[in-house]
Amino acid sequence: MNQAQHIEVSLDRQTTQQISANRLRLKTSIDVVRWLSFQGCAFRGHDESSGSKNHGNFLELLSLLASYDEKVEDVLKSAPQNSSYTSSTIQKEILQIYASRVCNVIREEIGDRKFSIIVDEARDESKKEQMAIIWRFVDEQGQAAGEVVEVHQFFKDLSDIVNIASASSNRHDELQKAQATELTRLVSINELATGIGMNQIDTLQHPGETRWSSQLNSVTSLLKMYNATSTVLENLKNTASNYSQRGDAHNAYSRLRSFEFIFILHMMKEVLGITNNLCQALQRRSQDILNAMSLVLTTKDLIQKLRDDGWNELLKKNDIFL
């Protein structure tokens, strides 16, 4: 074997070993993400620095798996900094893939059959309101089935998108400029009415933790500024000053443009819009029982109407945004 052939064989062997090591690192990270997500555990630690005594669930579980497998331990210790597959960005991407697959399975399982939705909310130990949506339907075998969609995750994504898109004065200015451009475009094609005080440039609003009205305002503001927000995030994922910011912008943009997020965004606007008057009335100190009962009945009727006739319209709105 001549020298050129020897070098080529050596490079091929090194490449094969590197691919195998990368796959093992990624597989280990995937297993950790799957276990933590199924158990509903937090991923990140308060302090993940090398001197920390607790690096968070993800890194600690990764270390535990490595302690039982020498191959895993070796590839993790020898991992290059740019391909360790343990960063928060990689964790989020893996989790997003799982979430997408779960949603696809739910959609396939429901198919064209009719279904109902139950919305409930409760305050947890940290005094934060946690909302869940339960989808009830009858499967192909005629058995009642149900799936829970964590709306808390939706509002977390919504908060992240708002934070990233308007994190600084520069980004806020970019967002305002993009919104002005979008309004001009809509007016030019006669899709937006004009007049004094109309079409003012708004700002994105953060969803509150306990008030449905603030969540409604946040959802509404993002719908109004959806294209502008999308433009800003798309620019950020390519032009942000460092890798971390580009990764965060990329994840936020991907989530913003996903079918699931857009569908829940429109659905929450409808649901929160229907229940907003009732919530406002029930929060008043002086209660008019007759008026409150009337609002309860009206709210039930409107939700029933949405349940019976509102889905086609929601899907049409979704198609426009995609």
Side-chain angles (χ1 to χ4, degrees):
M1 181 182 295
N2 58 39
Q3 185 176 5
Q5 290 176 327
H6 177 71
I7 293 174
E8 184 177 351
V9 170
S10 297
L11 289 175
D12 287 341
R13 185 181 298 114
Q14 290 177 5
T15 302
T16 302
Q17 292 174 349
Q18 185 177 7
I19 292 174
S20 178
N22 287 340
R23 286 177 176 174
L24 183 56
R25 292 189 200 103
L26 182 57
K27 181 181 182 300
T28 307
S29 292
I30 290 173
D31 289 341
V32 172
V33 168
R34 180 174 58 183
W35 191 90
L36 290 175
S37 59
F38 284 179
Q39 297 301 319
C41 299
F43 281 47
R44 306 293 301 279
H46 176 68
D47 181 8
E48 296 184 351
S49 63
S50 58
S52 174
K53 294 182 179 179
N54 187 343
H55 297 89
N57 291 332
F58 180 85
L59 295 179
E60 292 293 342
L61 185 54
L62 203 65
S63 177
L64 178 64
L65 292 177
S67 68
Y68 285 92
D69 192 320
E70 291 184 358
K71 289 184 178 180
V72 173
E73 185 177 17
D74 290 341
V75 296
L76 290 179
K77 286 183 177 179
S78 61
Q81 189 173 1
N82 64 346
S83 60
S84 63
Y85 302 110
T86 59
S87 68
S88 60
T89 301
I90 294 296
Q91 295 173 33
K92 292 176 182 177
E93 289 181 356
I94 296 172
L95 192 59
Q96 178 60 37
I97 292 172
Y98 273 122
S100 178
R101 289 192 172 187
V102 169
C103 289
N104 288 337
V105 170
I106 293 174
R107 285 202 298 268
E108 291 174 2
E109 192 173 356
I110 294 176
D112 296 328
R113 292 181 290 276
K114 292 185 177 181
F115 57 90
S116 64
I117 292 180
I118 303 172
V119 182
D120 194 14
E121 186 178 45
R123 182 177 294 186
D124 63 16
E125 293 183 0
S126 64
K127 309 302 181 184
K128 291 185 178 181
E129 295 287 340
Q130 305 289 356
M131 186 190 302
I133 290 183
I134 301 176
W135 303 66
R136 298 284 297 175
F137 61 96
V138 177
D139 61 21
E140 294 178 349
Q141 287 73 39
Q143 300 295 321
E147 301 287 352
V148 178
V149 179
E150 291 290 346
V151 178
H152 169 66
Q153 181 61 43
F154 164 78
F155 281 109
K156 182 180 181 301
D157 292 335
L158 175 60
S159 181
D160 290 342
I161 289 169
V162 173
N163 286 335
I164 294 170
S166 56
S168 64
S169 57
N170 288 337
R171 293 186 188 179
H172 181 267
D173 292 342
E174 290 179 18
L175 192 61
Q176 298 281 290
K177 183 178 179 180
Q179 178 66 357
T181 302
E182 176 65 12
L183 291 176
T184 302
R185 183 187 71 83
L186 292 175
V187 170
S188 67
I189 59 176
N190 297 321
E191 289 194 6
L192 202 62
T194 58
I196 298 175
M198 299 178 65
N199 306 327
Q200 296 185 8
I201 299 176
D202 297 320
T203 58
L204 292 176
Q205 298 188 30
H206 292 267
E209 296 178 352
T210 59
R211 297 290 184 180
W212 282 28
S213 58
S214 72
Q215 295 170 352
L216 174 61
N217 292 336
S218 182
V219 167
T220 303
S221 70
L222 182 58
L223 282 170
K224 288 181 179 179
M225 303 185 68
Y226 182 87
N227 287 337
T229 304
S230 179
T231 299
V232 170
L233 291 177
E234 187 173 19
N235 291 336
L236 281 173
K237 71 177 186 175
N238 297 318
T239 61
S241 58
N242 58 60
Y243 176 79
S244 177
Q245 291 180 0
R246 291 194 295 272
D248 289 341
H250 175 78
N251 290 332
Y253 178 80
S254 299
R255 190 60 182 154
L256 178 70
R257 301 293 298 180
S258 68
F259 174 90
E260 294 81 5
F261 183 86
I262 297 173
F263 182 82
I264 297 178
L265 185 68
H266 282 101
M267 184 177 66
M268 292 312 301
K269 181 180 182 296
E270 296 296 328
V271 173
L272 293 174
I274 290 172
T275 59
N276 186 55
N277 288 336
L278 177 60
C279 291
Q280 296 295 330
L282 295 179
Q283 289 169 10
R284 298 192 187 105
R285 290 186 177 181
S286 58
Q287 292 291 337
D288 183 340
I289 300 300
L290 293 178
N291 181 54
M293 291 301 298
S294 176
L295 283 173
V296 169
L297 294 175
T298 301
T299 302
K300 288 176 62 178
D301 290 341
L302 290 173
I303 290 178
Q304 184 65 44
K305 184 177 180 181
L306 174 64
R307 174 182 172 182
D308 294 337
D309 307 319
W311 301 110
N312 288 335
E313 188 64 28
L314 279 177
L315 291 174
K316 287 180 182 178
K317 292 178 180 178
N318 231 51
D319 292 339
I320 294 174
F321 273 64
L322 289 174

